[in-house]
Amino acid sequence: SFGELKLAAKAQNPSYLANGCGLLFACVETDRFLGRPGGGICVYRKEKDGTLTLLSSENTKGDYPCHLCVQPETRTVFVSNYGSGNLSAFFVDENGKLSCLATMEHRLEIGKKEAHAHCSALSRDGKTLYACDLGLDRVFVYDISKGAREMERVGEICFPEGSGPRHLLVSDGNLYVACELSNEIFVADAASGKLLQAFSVLPKDAEGFAAASAIYADWKRDLLAVSVRGVDGICFFERRKDGLLE
C-alpha cells in the first residue's frame, strides 16, 4: 500500500530520475538552466522523512536532457541531451558536487538527419557505454575503459531507417532496444552489431497514435517489458536461454 502523497522537492520539468552512489539524480529537461543555454542535472540527498535535499546542480552542456545512466564504481553520471544530440559525462563527489568530465557529439558524416540522444546503458564489465540516438537511427558504442574523461567512440549499430532507437538494455552480449517510431523491439549482438530479431510491440487492433517508450527487465525470470504510449499498454517478452526473445 502507498502512504500519503507529499512533495519531496521542487524542480523545473524533472523528466527522468536515477539512483546511484546513495543519491538521487534528476534531469531538468529545458533549453536554459542556471542562466545559460542547456538543460540541467540536479543531485539530491534522500532524507528519512521522504523529502529530498538539493546538494548541487549543473548545466548539462546540451538541450533538453532526458535520460541518466549512473556508474557507481566510478561515480560517473552519463546524460543524454535530446535536443542538442550530445552525451555529457559528470563526476559526482561524496558531497554530491558535480563536475563535467566530457561531452560527445552525435553526428553522421553524411546525410541531414538531426541527432537526438535519448538513452545510454553500460556493459556488464563497465568498460563500454551504448548510447541510443533516436534521430540518427543508431546506437553509438563508446570505450570508457580509461574513464569517462577519455571516452572514445569506437563503433555504431545501425537500425532501420525511421525506427528511432529510444531505450535499451544490455545483458549477456546482447542489446535489447525499444524503437519509438517503428514501435518495435530489436535484439542486436553487442559485439558484431548484427540485428538478430525484431518484434512489434503493438496489439493487432491498435489505432491512432502509439510510441514505444521504455524497456525494463526482470532478468531473474527472463522477462522483458516495453511500455507503449498512446495505446497505454505494456508488451511482455520471454528471453530464451540463447538470449533471443519470444
Side-chain angles (χ1 to χ4, degrees):
S1 62
F2 293 95
E4 180 185 355
L5 184 66
K6 60 182 180 181
L7 180 67
K10 289 184 177 182
Q12 182 184 5
N13 198 23
S15 64
Y16 196 88
L17 304 175
N19 284 293
C21 307
L23 302 166
L24 180 71
F25 300 87
C27 280
V28 177
E29 192 169 352
T30 63
D31 61 355
R32 194 165 186 83
F33 188 72
L34 297 179
R36 304 192 306 275
I41 176 174
C42 296
V43 185
Y44 297 93
R45 182 178 63 235
K46 293 173 280 187
E47 307 296 355
K48 292 182 179 179
D49 65 357
T51 59
L52 300 172
T53 298
L54 179 64
L55 300 179
S56 69
S57 57
E58 285 292 337
N59 190 291
T60 62
K61 302 184 185 300
D63 297 342
Y64 299 106
C66 62
H67 185 271
L68 302 166
C69 175
V70 183
Q71 186 177 43
E73 297 82 4
T74 60
R75 303 190 70 89
T76 304
V77 185
F78 297 94
V79 185
S80 298
N81 295 299
Y82 179 83
S84 51
N86 63 327
L87 185 73
S88 304
F90 289 84
F91 175 76
V92 58
D93 69 17
E94 294 181 354
N95 297 314
K97 182 176 175 56
L98 293 161
S99 55
C100 188
L101 298 173
T103 59
M104 303 295 290
E105 302 293 332
H106 285 185
R107 291 197 181 99
L108 294 180
E109 297 301 322
I110 58 175
K112 296 182 179 180
K113 291 184 177 181
E114 291 187 359
H116 291 300
H118 212 303
C119 174
S120 63
L122 294 157
S123 61
R124 178 177 289 184
D125 62 9
K127 295 181 179 180
T128 305
L129 184 77
Y130 299 94
C132 282
D133 195 294
L134 188 149
L136 300 181
D137 296 319
R138 300 286 196 281
V139 168
F140 291 106
V141 185
Y142 291 96
D143 178 2
I144 57 170
S145 60
K146 298 179 182 178
R149 193 182 298 277
E150 298 183 52
M151 65 189 297
E152 179 184 6
R153 195 168 103 186
V154 294
E156 60 185 54
I157 299 173
C158 299
F159 287 77
E161 184 84 12
S163 57
R166 176 185 170 101
H167 270 214
L168 81 161
L169 297 174
V170 185
S171 180
D172 297 333
N174 284 340
L175 306 183
Y176 301 89
V177 184
C179 289
E180 176 179 339
L181 303 182
S182 65
N183 286 299
E184 293 175 291
I185 179 173
F186 285 86
V187 182
D189 181 88
S192 68
K194 181 180 179 181
L195 301 184
L196 305 175
Q197 281 184 307
F199 295 94
S200 172
V201 296
L202 295 180
K204 293 181 180 180
D205 58 351
E207 295 182 358
F209 170 76
S213 52
I215 180 170
Y216 292 94
D218 181 343
W219 297 124
K220 291 183 179 180
R221 294 195 293 171
D222 285 322
L223 290 176
L224 279 80
V226 179
S227 57
V228 187
R229 294 172 295 161
V231 298
D232 296 331
I234 299 176
C235 187
F236 290 91
F237 296 89
E238 184 176 357
R239 183 177 66 161
R240 304 186 325 219
K241 290 183 178 180
D242 61 3
L244 298 180
L245 301 179
E246 56 184 28

